[in-house]
């Protein structure tokens, strides 16, 4: 009986390891625990470089037809958070966005992908810029594996509508969180 228990324990350990290795995962070569002046917004009193971070993902679920990426600050003093970045209709064969892809003028976003309106009122990436004295904010960057090739939205679609379409089409999602506090 003891040997059977040991064998079952080993089988479960290997099964768990195999399952964990295949989870949908988002990583960044640019981000650590805290965002930096590179990612910080340039405007609203902030003077950062407003450079979107490099992002890569792996192990999307079967049936994924496209991806979307969002960056959201739930700590913004608005009652509804703050949407910093919305990218959708990323082709299913893409697994990375390079640093700076959030700047529409650089044309680094994959062909066919759309960057829509952020809460800054502009298209593309808008980095962290919490109010002075408001403390540390968390920025949740999420990649969505979607069951549709295209959401049927355009670059003028607001975050609430994009979020609704993401909610209705998500097969899986993976997130990373970075933090930022505005320095004086």
């Amino acid at each position: 009986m003891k040997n059977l228990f040991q064998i079952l324990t080993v089988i479960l350990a290997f099964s768990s390891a195999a399952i964990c290795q295949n989870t949908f995962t988002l990583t960044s070569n640019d981000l650590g625990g805290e965002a930096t002046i590179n990612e910080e917004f340039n405007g609203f009193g902030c003077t950062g470089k407003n450079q979107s971070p490099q992002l890569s993902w792996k192990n999307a679920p079967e049936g994924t037809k496209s991806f979307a990426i969002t960056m959201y600050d739930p700590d913004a003093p608005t009652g509804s958070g703050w949407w910093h970045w919305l990218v959708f209709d990323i082709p299913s064969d893409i697994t990375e966005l390079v640093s700076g892809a959030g700047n529409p003028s650089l044309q680094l976003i994959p062909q066919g992908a759309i960057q829509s309106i952020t809460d800054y009122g502009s298209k593309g990436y808008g980095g962290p810029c919490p109010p002075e004295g408001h403390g540390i904010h968390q920025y949740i960057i999420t990649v969505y594996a979607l069951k549709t090739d295209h959401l049927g939205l355009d670059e003028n679609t607001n975050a609430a509508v994009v979020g609704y379409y993401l909610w209705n089409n998500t097969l899986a999602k993976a997130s990373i969180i970075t933090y930022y506090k505005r320095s004086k």
Side-chain angles (χ1 to χ4, degrees):
M1 189 68 156
K2 184 177 179 184
N3 287 341
L4 178 61
F5 179 73
Q6 289 172 332
I7 291 170
L8 288 174
T9 302
V10 169
I11 290 171
L12 286 173
F14 281 114
S15 297
S16 295
I19 290 170
C20 290
Q21 290 175 353
N22 293 322
T23 60
F24 188 39
T25 305
L26 175 64
T27 58
S28 175
N29 294 331
D30 294 341
L31 294 175
E34 289 185 320
T36 68
I37 197 77
N38 290 332
E39 292 83 31
E40 183 187 62
F41 190 64
N42 188 346
F44 278 52
C46 290
T47 58
K49 294 180 182 176
N50 200 46
Q51 179 176 307
S52 62
Q54 178 277 343
L55 299 172
S56 56
W57 52 94
K58 63 182 179 180
N59 300 321
E62 189 173 324
T64 298
K65 294 183 179 177
S66 70
F67 296 101
I69 293 176
T70 63
M71 181 171 147
Y72 175 71
D73 173 7
D75 301 318
T78 63
S80 61
W82 193 270
W83 291 97
H84 288 264
W85 199 16
L86 300 130
V87 186
F88 50 89
D89 292 353
I90 301 169
S92 63
D93 62 342
I94 301 296
T95 58
E96 178 181 21
L97 293 183
V98 297
S99 299
N103 181 340
S105 68
L106 297 178
Q107 299 180 349
L108 297 173
I109 207 81
Q111 186 173 1
I114 297 171
Q115 299 191 72
S116 68
I117 300 291
T118 68
D119 284 342
Y120 287 117
S122 58
K123 298 170 183 104
Y125 175 84
C129 185
E132 281 188 50
H134 203 258
I136 298 170
H137 284 217
Q138 60 182 323
Y139 297 87
I140 304 167
I141 301 170
T142 303
V143 60
Y144 301 80
L146 303 174
K147 61 183 177 184
T148 184
D149 293 332
H150 304 284
L151 291 180
L153 307 173
D154 65 29
E155 64 184 7
N156 296 309
T157 307
N158 69 45
V161 174
V162 172
Y164 176 80
Y165 278 76
L166 292 177
W167 185 83
N168 281 304
N169 290 286
T170 297
L171 295 171
K173 61 184 180 176
S175 298
I176 55 177
I177 299 175
T178 190
Y179 296 88
Y180 196 69
K181 178 181 178 182
R182 186 167 165 187
S183 59
K184 294 182 179 188

